[in-house]
């Protein structure tokens, strides 16, 4: 699976959105998973985001032959035990609270679990 990443600002959002998500146009391919992530800009004086309630770590598994190796570090790591990519994990209190695997992106209950898992850290 290839991932197309596009960054947008308020000024150019509509042009990107229309190109990638236009109604009646599948934006370059039927059956593609399409996600929007709205983030806070970085403060120019600190280079930190002004809203920091979300931490997103994008981790790439390497090339296909490396990923296919059953001994891949993230396949065998007890914290992650990855079986497919992409996988989205909600991390709370030092462990995976919920996960959405490559074959589950269409399952509403799985999506809900990742997005709405309750945190006991609050």
């Amino acid at each position: 699976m290839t991932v197309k990443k596009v960054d947008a600002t308020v000024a150019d959002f509509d042009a990107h959105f229309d190109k990638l998500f236009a109604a009646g146009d599948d934006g370059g391919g039927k059956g593609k998973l399409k996600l929007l992530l709205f983030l806070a800009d970085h403060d120019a004086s600190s280079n930190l985001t002004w809203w920091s309630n979300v931490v997103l770590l994008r981790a790439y598994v390497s090339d296909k032959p490396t990923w296919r190796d059953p001994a891949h570090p993230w396949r065998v790591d007890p914290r992650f035990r990855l079986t497919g990519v992409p996988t989205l994990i909600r991390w709370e209190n030092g462990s995976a609270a919920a996960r959405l695997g490559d074959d589950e992106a269409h399952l509403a209950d799985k999506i809900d679990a990742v997005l709405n898992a309750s945190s006991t850290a609050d």
Side-chain angles (χ1 to χ4, degrees), residues 1-116:
M1 169 185 287
T2 57
V3 176
K4 181 176 185 173
K5 297 177 289 275
V6 177
D7 292 325
T9 65
V10 172
D12 62 7
F13 176 84
D14 286 336
H16 289 296
F17 184 84
D18 290 346
K19 181 178 178 185
L20 299 169
F21 296 87
D25 174 19
D26 202 25
K30 294 196 180 294
K32 285 188 176 182
L33 175 63
K34 297 180 181 183
L35 303 169
L36 287 95
L37 176 62
F38 292 87
L39 300 168
D41 283 358
H42 286 90
D43 183 306
S45 65
S46 67
N47 201 32
L48 299 174
T49 180
W50 54 264
W51 186 80
S52 61
N53 287 347
V54 174
V55 175
L56 176 66
L57 172 62
R58 294 188 315 191
Y60 295 91
V61 300
S62 192
D63 60 25
K64 194 171 186 177
T66 302
W67 167 246
R68 296 288 178 157
D69 181 352
H72 186 285
W74 295 331
R75 286 184 180 275
V76 298
D77 189 316
R79 297 171 298 173
F80 311 119
R81 291 194 176 108
L82 294 184
T83 59
V85 289
T87 295
L88 179 64
I89 297 175
R90 183 181 182 118
W91 196 262
E92 293 181 357
N93 303 316
S95 65
R99 75 173 51 226
L100 182 65
D102 64 322
D103 60 340
E104 301 171 317
H106 64 288
L107 301 174
D109 61 325
K110 288 288 195 171
I111 296 168
D112 187 56
V114 170
L115 298 179
N116 298 310

